[in-house]
Amino acid sequence: MKRSPIADNTAKLLQRVRLSAEKSQRQTSDIVVLAVSKTRTAVDIREACAAGLNQFGESYLQEALGKMAELEDLPLTWHFIGPVQSNKTRSIATHFDWVHSVDREKIARRLSEQRPEGMAPLQVCLQVNISGESSKSGVSPDELPDLARAVAGLPRLRLRGLMAIPAATGDIAGQRRAFASLRQALQALKPTIAGLDTLSMGMSADLEAAIAEGSTIVRVGTAIFGSRDR
Ligand SMILES: *Cc1c(COP(=O)(O)O)cnc(C)c1O
């Protein structure tokens, strides 16, 4: 049987992750590949799952809910990675395992209040605006410590770490500087907040630099599913 492009791409991607881990003397098993499936179909996700991926990231709530319903038979972990609007928090808190993009206390409070009782705590990363562009979402590095303290105290959330989407650059040294600053921000929080173990950083174009700087979750769309504007 001919292998699908998704299966081939996934095999190549996992090899990239393995090589990058080796170069930095890290364990491949310490790096989660989060398949970013926004704009992809449930069929695409099934193929990626057959190729060995089981964690999927979505940015658009309505689109995600439809695919989740179609894929209920698969043992998938769902991560919300897009901007979180207040009127979407209940549904996100009910249907997702992780949220990577919390950048305001108000949103965190709502997610905690609305996380259903019977479920495990919602796993949360704070999105940090490390490139300092005013148009980008994410808490500023200055405001991060206060937000982290507040979120760590919410009962139905578990604060796991930080996420960033640095400004795109082809310059490897520049990529590494941005990822290093997120790693240092996490390091600075660790003495006062327990349980921080996650750096959600690195995408298709810069995952090598992210892994070299300690990424524990790479969020990869294009390198698995192909270009989004097919
Ligand atoms: C779309 C998206 C990605 C994946 O980007 P690729 O370049 O396709 O790998 C990662 N993270 C976030 C937050 C995204 O929105």
Side-chain angles (χ1 to χ4, degrees):
M1 202 177 92
K2 194 164 161 295
R3 285 215 295 179
S4 75
I6 290 174
D8 279 339
N9 290 346
T10 300
K12 282 185 200 131
L13 169 67
L14 295 178
Q15 181 64 8
R16 268 175 82 187
V17 171
R18 261 193 299 278
L19 285 173
S20 306
E22 262 170 37
K23 264 194 190 163
S24 308
Q25 286 154 348
R26 300 187 55 204
Q27 300 294 321
T28 307
S29 55
D30 291 339
I31 302 158
V32 170
V33 172
L34 175 58
V36 175
S37 46
K38 65 182 182 212
T39 78
R40 318 296 178 167
T41 65
V43 172
D44 292 337
I45 295 175
R46 268 186 203 285
E47 281 185 20
C49 180
L53 301 173
N54 61 6
Q55 315 235 6
F56 290 86
E58 293 280 343
S59 304
Y60 311 109
L61 179 62
Q62 289 314 315
E63 180 199 323
L65 295 179
K67 287 183 268 184
M68 285 174 174
E70 282 185 67
L71 296 165
E72 259 172 0
D73 57 307
L74 297 178
L76 306 180
T77 300
W78 292 98
H79 300 240
F80 193 81
I81 63 173
V84 183
Q85 294 153 354
S86 315
N87 63 345
K88 305 276 169 66
T89 50
R90 184 177 300 281
S91 187
I92 291 171
T94 304
H95 290 97
F96 284 82
D97 304 293
W98 284 73
V99 179
H100 291 229
S101 40
V102 171
D103 62 3
R104 283 181 289 154
E105 185 179 343
K106 178 190 161 198
I107 293 292
R109 285 192 180 285
R110 290 176 66 93
L111 289 169
S112 181
E113 282 160 14
Q114 295 169 343
R115 179 69 166 175
E117 277 294 330
M119 296 180 80
L122 186 61
Q123 310 295 304
V124 164
C125 290
L126 302 179
Q127 182 173 351
V128 185
N129 184 353
I130 45 176
S131 308
E133 289 159 57
S134 57
S135 61
K136 279 245 179 84
S137 20
V139 63
S140 72
D142 287 352
E143 291 168 310
L144 173 63
D146 283 347
L147 178 62
R149 253 190 304 278
V151 173
L154 293 171
R156 306 289 299 132
L157 304 187
R158 183 159 303 149
L159 181 60
R160 296 292 298 272
L162 303 179
M163 182 273 245
I165 313 172
T169 166
D171 162 34
I172 305 281
Q175 293 173 0
R176 285 197 57 164
R177 269 196 300 279
F179 292 134
S181 75
L182 194 70
R183 170 169 50 74
Q184 287 153 5
L186 185 73
Q187 213 54 43
L189 296 174
K190 280 183 174 177
T192 50
I193 298 175
L196 298 178
D197 59 4
T198 301
L199 279 170
S200 168
M201 60 188 198
M203 317 201 295
S204 296
D206 56 12
L207 64 90
E208 281 82 3
I211 289 171
E213 295 297 343
S215 173
T216 65
I217 303 183
V218 289
R219 307 179 312 271
V220 183
T222 313
I224 295 168
F225 297 105
S227 152
R228 267 185 297 277
D229 46 25
R230 280 172 299 180

